[in-house]
Amino acid sequence: MATEAPEQAPQADGVQSLSISEDPPSSSSNPTIQMSLEERYQILRSVAEECIQEDELRNLLAHKSEPIAYDGFEPSGRMHIAQGVMKTINVNKMTSAGCRVKIWIADWFAMLNNKMGGDLKKIETVGRYMIEIWRAAGMNLDNGKVEFLWSSKEINSKADEYWPRVMDIAQKNNLKRIIRCSQIMGRSEQEDLTAAQIFYPCMQCADIFFLKADICQLGMDQRKVNVLAREYCDDIKKKNKPIILSHHMLPGLQQGQEKMSKSDVSSSVFMEDEEAEVNLKIKKAYCPPNVVEGNPCMEYVKYLILPWFNEFIVERSEKNGGNKTFKSFEELAADYESGELHPADLKSALSKALNKILEPVRSHFKNDKIAKQLLQTVKNYRVSR
């Protein structure tokens, strides 16, 4: 193992759950009460590439004004734009539609999965760094509807509630069924999994019930364990199953990379990358002319830039067609497939838009002393599998 720098970041007095606002706003000040059920449904549905089930989502919104949505993450290294920008977009959409969002900081899970070499202190530092990212990126943390919960603290405080659920899930599923969920850890069914990694899906399934989640809002790579939770509802005769909103997984920057990798810096744009780094990475990115399908640059515009700005601005000379503002992905795709939009112009506009999103994050990590120390510490950690 490579020698790692000593811990430099300021230490918190133990791991604590973070609720940004102690007193949630009263319903009379909640703008979502002015929103129709259909409007709320369309906002939540736009978060997901797949929804299981749409009729259940409509029914939930009709009968519950503030559904609980759950999202979770392993603190496992620097944050790339898929996790930073997309989660900010999705969380803000969910709270705008009236949801209360519980973000599960899965520190114990990262330890079980050998992230940061299984060192819990390092994992906690990465978790605090990630919260700083989302705050700086513009996640709406001032309305009292977003709560960060550390799995180690929450599980320890209610162990008598949590562990019987985990054991019941384990008893009601065979080993083959649990191993099929190994994708949620970034593992394959063929890998030589540790006993801890076998236990992991049972715990993640239990999280959904422990957090009393109405909605599971995670990536498509977490789909299998969310489906396991719905199947478990049949086992325990629970009528209201968790609704699954699975968001799209952004690919890496190079050809054939199905998802961004923190261990491969060429595949990812990180949330605190300097402007020049972003420009270089996008310039080198796979972007075949006239091809939309499997083109990471086009996907970044579709899933990051358009949802963020509601438009995509391409600046170019009159000779090359002049400036153009795209309001929809369909319009952009048509121009790109026809050759009206050149890859170089697409990349230049994409770099500019990404840098505009990331500038507040860069500024925060340069000017805030605690954030700056956190980033330096995390950069010195070695990413492990």
Side-chain angles (χ1 to χ4, degrees), residues 69-120:
Y70 140 77
D71 191 359
F73 68 96
E74 283 186 3
S76 57
R78 292 176 65 197
M79 187 187 290
H80 50 55
I81 56 173
Q83 190 174 28
V85 178
M86 185 174 282
K87 195 182 295 290
T88 298
I89 291 168
N90 290 345
V91 168
N92 287 351
K93 281 184 175 182
M94 288 189 289
T95 58
S96 75
C99 291
R100 303 191 69 82
V101 180
K102 295 183 177 181
I103 300 181
W104 193 235
I105 310 173
D107 50 357
W108 268 5
F109 292 78
M111 183 175 67
L112 287 174
N113 205 13
N114 197 40
K115 297 302 173 66
M116 297 291 107
D119 187 324
L120 193 58

Side-chain angles (χ1 to χ4, degrees), residues 298 301 305-307 309-316 321-336 338 340-342 345-346 349:
M298 290 293 288
V301 176
I305 308 306
L306 283 169
F309 296 109
N310 295 314
E311 63 182 17
F312 179 55
I313 301 172
V314 174
E315 296 177 346
R316 55 191 176 182
N323 298 344
K324 186 166 183 179
T325 298
F326 296 93
K327 295 290 187 178
S328 71
F329 183 74
E330 290 72 23
E331 183 187 9
L332 174 68
D335 267 24
Y336 193 76
S338 70
E340 287 293 317
L341 178 60
H342 190 273
D345 293 320
L346 171 69

Side-chain angles (χ1 to χ4, degrees), residues 131-277:
I131 293 170
E132 290 293 322
I133 292 255
W134 286 314
R135 189 191 305 273
M139 186 180 287
N140 189 354
L141 303 179
D142 296 325
N143 59 10
K145 289 190 172 185
V146 179
E147 189 175 15
F148 292 98
L149 300 167
W150 297 82
S151 67
S152 56
K153 179 180 183 294
E154 296 300 315
I155 291 169
N156 278 336
S157 69
K158 299 176 184 175
D160 58 338
E161 178 184 338
Y162 186 81
W163 293 114
R165 177 76 71 183
V166 174
M167 289 187 287
D168 192 48
I169 291 167
Q171 284 181 307
K172 287 181 167 59
N173 289 278
N174 60 38
L175 188 58
K176 185 177 180 180
R177 178 69 183 90
I178 297 301
I179 289 175
R180 287 210 306 271
C181 292
S182 57
Q183 180 188 12
I184 66 173
M185 300 173 283
R187 311 282 171 177
S188 72
E189 294 180 37
Q190 287 70 43
E191 283 189 51
D192 185 17
L193 302 174
T194 66
Q197 288 163 341
I198 295 294
F199 209 48
Y200 186 119
C202 298
M203 290 175 63
Q204 185 170 327
C205 182
D207 293 343
I208 296 165
F209 301 95
F210 183 67
L211 295 171
K212 297 178 173 56
D214 301 300
I215 297 170
C216 301
Q217 202 294 287
L218 299 104
M220 285 295 292
D221 61 337
Q222 305 297 302
R223 181 185 187 278
K224 289 183 179 180
V225 77
N226 291 332
V227 170
L228 179 68
R230 287 179 61 87
E231 293 173 355
Y232 176 67
C233 287
D234 293 330
D235 294 331
I236 61 174
K237 306 296 188 289
K238 179 176 168 58
K239 182 180 178 181
N240 295 324
K241 299 179 180 181
I243 294 155
I244 305 171
L245 294 178
S246 301
H247 66 249
H248 180 74
M249 300 297 294
L250 283 181
L253 290 167
Q254 306 306 314
Q255 184 176 7
Q257 293 180 328
E258 292 185 0
K259 60 186 289 189
M260 291 187 185
S261 168
K262 294 179 181 180
S263 58
D264 179 3
V265 295
S266 69
S267 82
S268 304
V269 172
F270 292 103
M271 290 296 290
E272 353 75 17
D273 274 349
E274 294 293 341
E275 182 176 351
E277 292 177 288

Side-chain angles (χ1 to χ4, degrees), residues 9 125 128-129 132 370-379:
T125 299
R128 289 189 288 121
Y129 146 85
E132 290 293 322
I370 293 176
K372 187 175 184 178
Q373 289 178 320
L374 280 170
L375 175 58
Q376 187 56 54
T377 302
V378 171
K379 280 186 171 181

